[in-house]
Amino acid sequence: MSSATLPPPADTTPDHVPDAPPETRGTARCGPVVRGIVIVLTLVGITLTVSQTFFWNPFSNGTLLASAFLYFVLACFLPVVFLAFPATSRHGQTSVPTYDVALAVVAGLVPAYLGLHAEQILTEGWDYVAPTLALVASFALWALVLETLRRTAGLVVTVIAGAFSVYPLVAGGVPIGFLEGIQYDLAGTATKHALGVESILGLPLQTAAGILIGFLLFGVVLQHTGGAGFFHDFARSLFGTARGGSAKVSVVSSASMGMMSGSAVSNVLTTGPMTIPAMKKSGFSGEYAAGVEATASSGGSITPPIMGTAAFLMVSFLGVPYTEIAIAAAIPAFLYYVGIYTQVDAYAAGKRLRGEARASLPRPVPTLLAGWPYLAALGGLLYLLVAVGQEAQAPFIVAAALLAYAVLRPRNRLRLSDLTTLLFSAGRTLAEILGIIAGVGLIIGGLSMTGVSLSLARELVNSVGGSVALILIAGAVTSFVLGMGMTVSAVYVLLAIVMAPALVTLGIDPIAAHLFVIYWATVSYITPPVALASFAAAGIAGTRPMRTSLTAMRLGMVKYVIPFCFALNPALVAQAGLGEVLLTLAFAIVGVVAMACSFEGYAIGIERRLSPALRVIGLGAGFATLLPEMTSSLIGLGVVAVVAVVARFTAPAPEPVLEQDVAETDRAASEPAR
């Protein structure tokens, strides 16, 4: 199969799934003129970012002031939100209304005006006493940012961010002691939000403009130059013949796509139309096929090197290099996919599902030779991140090299139309993320202006009586509940201020504490009642969304367990010596495999079904191997071994696969997926 058989990322529209989230809406309304404007704004914004990143600003002596740079980035990408994202699901789907054009113009002019006066804002203290025009611009930017947040992230997170943004107006009169803070009048609140450096221009936007834009651009370039098709074909060539091969291909290809995009829903809509029909044809039920795709795709936001937006925001909150965060996240992400892969293998073994015929699959070596530039791009990115330490510059360098290859390669060259599609997709992606991040900056602004953030963390520690277990449970529940109505980045920003400091106060490693929040915020992708990734996959598979979500929950069990384990055992996030990390990883692999087999009721390796009693014992033993104490890990390992021995000698052997079953499977594999 050639890479062209995968649907292009730019065409992942809501036609594939009913009630699509904002990130997939509105592409049909962008005609040639609007697309051209978006592309121009995108080019200007990327050029500005590259100039700032590489310190070769041609328009001034050295780089721009940081605040001026951020204002100009907003001036480039906020208008794109109003052009590419409709106000509602019922209006402006086929064309851009006049009011959106007017809002786009204002969204470009307001931050541009503030950017031109950035030095005066800084030297003359406009965030305390602003001229009339700057005060009007402050109110306008406040309102525009809230509207872009609503269009890109939804109403719930906008209401929450809006409530935090107006909190300084009433903070001084709140009767609850730890919620009482410094109070501002309306004008002071507006100027602090728009002209200060702790709200809209706060840490999230500083990180997004400084680091995240490059990584998002790299992901878009990698997809549009054929990376998505290559990773899918390569996964088929390696795993297609294995039992349950179509589902294993889904796991590996979705993991690869997730490393590029970091977005669960767009990942489902890109790879799902290929992988879900293939799984159904191979004998997997519709719910299971959709659950596999949703669970594998939702791992993108926790999988290095690109991960999701929240991981980049960790850089600003923790003050550590992104490379350190990516290394810390690697082991939990690996265990997550080990769990999914093992469950798929156990399910396929229990159902006697075979893989595809070798004749119908791509050959590994030719596929690898044809796709070497994509592996070289990922390798180059990792080298520049880890060995050279060029976090901000690395994605731009690799993306430029990949674009040059795509334009000059002998076959399937990137044409002008392909390049414009790439730029439009990049502009839309960047505008969506920056709109969300600018909006959630208001949450930080409201808490930092009033001084309430520190008292909230202190009160949280006091309320749980210093209990690590209680605060972890409270953190998990809070992250999950907020994740049902807010984006992961919004949940992370809020809890990085309130919850993560409390976790650190009780002795949890800082990186583990912040990753804990991110993990539990992302479980909402596959967990009812929201479960956006599961619902998107169910729409492709034609299955019931709730049943699909329950299947995805079972497949994603590691995501519910592993955060507690690495919070208690920092070696699982590489916060220990190399020997301890490797030993902990070995125990963790055994534990995850044991839990995965117990969930599916089939022990791979010994090829025996597990009784209900052995499944319960196996789950407990698997969890014990993940705990930090060596005693519990050894006991868990011993019990896992006992369970395996008992199952091997007490459970009946599975029935052999008959020749007619083999022939039937091979005939089905030779037919095209519907």
Side-chain angles (χ1 to χ4, degrees):
M1 186 183 73
S2 67
S3 61
T5 55
L6 268 176
D11 294 329
T12 53
T13 64
D15 297 334
H16 293 96
V17 54
D19 300 324
E23 67 186 82
T24 60
R25 292 201 315 254
T27 54
R29 79 190 205 136
C30 296
V33 175
V34 173
R35 289 175 70 91
I37 295 172
V38 170
I39 290 170
V40 170
L41 289 171
T42 302
L43 282 172
V44 173
I46 292 174
T47 302
L48 178 68
T49 306
V50 170
S51 170
Q52 191 80 354
T53 301
F54 288 88
F55 308 104
W56 49 262
N57 193 320
F59 306 109
S60 63
N61 297 324
T63 57
L64 292 169
L65 282 174
S67 57
F69 167 62
L70 296 177
Y71 282 128
F72 289 138
V73 166
L74 292 178
C76 291
F77 291 107
L78 288 190
V80 175
V81 174
F82 293 103
L83 294 176
F85 293 81
T88 67
S89 59
R90 296 182 180 180
H91 301 92
Q93 291 289 341
T94 57
S95 62
V96 180
T98 304
Y99 59 81
D100 275 347
V101 174
L103 286 171
V105 171
V106 176
L109 292 177
V110 168
Y113 163 78
L114 295 176
L116 292 172
H117 293 83
E119 187 172 354
Q120 291 172 273
I121 294 173
L122 181 63
T123 58
E124 299 177 11
W126 284 13
D127 53 333
Y128 291 96
V129 180
T132 302
L133 187 56
L135 180 60
V136 172
S138 299
F139 279 107
L141 185 60
W142 186 3
L144 288 167
V145 165
L146 283 174
E147 175 58 14
T148 58
L149 181 63
R150 187 190 67 82
R151 294 188 184 213
T152 55
L155 182 60
V156 174
V157 65
T158 306
V159 171
I160 293 173
F164 276 99
S165 71
V166 299
Y167 184 70
L169 299 175
V170 298
V174 176
I176 304 174
F178 65 90
L179 294 178
E180 185 178 1
I182 302 170
Q183 187 161 323
Y184 290 77
D185 60 15
L186 184 59
T189 302
T191 54
K192 278 291 186 182
H193 280 313
L195 308 181
V197 294
E198 293 184 338
S199 187
I200 295 173
L201 302 188
L203 289 176
L205 187 60
Q206 293 168 25
T207 303
I211 300 178
L212 183 55
I213 287 178
F215 281 91
L216 291 174
L217 179 64
F218 168 72
V220 173
V221 169
L222 191 59
Q223 291 183 51
H224 282 263
T225 54
F230 162 71
F231 285 115
H232 183 75
D233 285 354
F234 193 49
R236 289 189 69 214
S237 70
L238 293 179
F239 301 99
T241 58
R243 62 185 179 192
S246 58
K248 293 175 180 176
V249 168
S250 174
V251 173
V252 176
S253 61
S254 295
S256 302
M257 281 292 297
M259 288 191 297
M260 295 186 288
S261 70
S263 172
V265 177
S266 65
N267 200 353
V268 169
L269 295 176
T270 301
T271 60
M274 287 298 300
T275 59
I276 291 175
M279 284 186 277
K280 292 173 68 176
K281 186 188 69 174
S282 299
F284 289 90
S285 67
E287 279 95 5
Y288 200 90
V292 169
E293 177 60 39
T295 308
S297 294
S298 68
S301 58
I302 58 173
T303 305
I306 294 183
M307 303 178 68
T309 305
F312 289 90
L313 298 180
M314 283 179 64
V315 173
S316 57
F317 281 102
L318 287 173
V320 300
Y322 175 71
T323 304
E324 187 173 340
I325 293 171
I327 292 173
I331 293 177
F334 172 73
L335 294 174
Y336 177 71
Y337 283 106
V338 166
I340 303 173
Y341 188 94
T342 303
Q343 284 188 254
V344 165
D345 190 44
Y347 179 92
K351 299 289 185 182
R352 300 198 308 163
L353 300 179
R354 300 179 68 249
E356 299 181 63
R358 169 53 69 185
S360 66
L361 296 171
R363 290 181 296 172
V365 174
T367 302
L368 184 61
L369 292 176
W372 69 265
Y374 309 112
L375 293 178
L378 286 176
L381 179 65
L382 291 174
Y383 172 77
L384 291 173
L385 286 175
V386 177
V388 183
Q390 294 182 336
E391 294 182 340
Q393 296 91 344
F396 289 110
I397 295 172
V398 178
L402 198 56
L403 271 177
Y405 160 76
V407 171
L408 299 175
R409 61 190 172 190
R411 294 184 300 172
N412 299 322
R413 291 182 179 177
L414 199 68
R415 298 168 297 177
L416 181 61
S417 60
D418 300 323
L419 186 58
T420 56
T421 300
L422 185 156
L423 288 171
F424 176 77
S425 178
R428 200 169 179 278
T429 299
L430 293 172
E432 178 185 2
I433 297 301
L434 291 171
I436 293 173
I437 288 177
V440 299
L442 293 168
I443 298 175
I444 296 180
L447 291 174
S448 62
M449 288 161 57
T450 56
V452 168
S453 55
L454 293 177
S455 59
L456 282 174
R458 185 172 58 251
E459 184 65 23
L460 185 59
V461 172
N462 293 335
S463 65
V464 298
S467 170
V468 174
L470 284 179
I471 201 166
L472 287 175
I473 294 172
V477 173
T478 305
S479 301
F480 171 66
V481 171
L482 291 176
M484 291 192 296
M486 300 170 64
T487 62
V488 174
S489 55
V491 175
Y492 172 72
V493 166
L494 176 58
L495 296 184
I497 299 171
V498 178
M499 180 66 66
L503 294 173
V504 173
T505 300
L506 292 180
I508 294 174
D509 179 83
I511 290 182
H514 285 255
L515 281 175
F516 181 89
V517 171
I518 291 177
Y519 262 71
W520 270 98
T522 60
V523 300
S524 62
Y525 281 133
I526 59 173
T527 309
V530 179
L532 289 178
S534 298
F535 286 12
I540 297 171
T543 57
R544 295 180 180 179
M546 293 303 292
R547 292 183 61 178
T548 299
S549 300
L550 294 175
T551 301
M553 284 181 65
R554 188 175 85 244
L555 287 164
M557 56 89 188
V558 173
K559 189 178 280 190
Y560 300 90
V561 174
I562 203 68
F564 290 97
C565 297
F566 66 62
L568 298 173
N569 188 357
L572 286 173
V573 286
Q575 302 303 297
L578 180 60
E580 184 180 352
V581 169
L582 293 176
L583 182 62
T584 302
L585 175 61
F587 278 114
I589 292 173
V590 173
V592 167
V593 170
M595 288 190 292
C597 292
S598 299
F599 268 105
E600 292 298 335
Y602 191 94
I604 61 172
I606 63 172
E607 308 304 326
R608 293 292 189 273
R609 296 189 184 277
L610 296 175
S611 66
L614 289 180
R615 292 174 70 176
V616 173
I617 296 172
L619 280 174
F623 181 76
T625 62
L626 291 163
L627 295 177
E629 297 83 7
M630 180 59 68
T631 302
S632 61
S633 297
L634 290 173
I635 291 174
L637 183 63
V639 174
V640 168
V642 170
V643 168
V645 171
V646 171
R648 175 66 178 79
F649 292 103
T650 60
E655 298 179 6
V657 179
L658 302 178
E659 289 299 323
Q660 55 264 38
D661 294 334
V662 174
E664 183 71 23
T665 303
D666 288 342
R667 277 198 304 273
S670 64
E671 299 175 357
R674 295 180 179 82

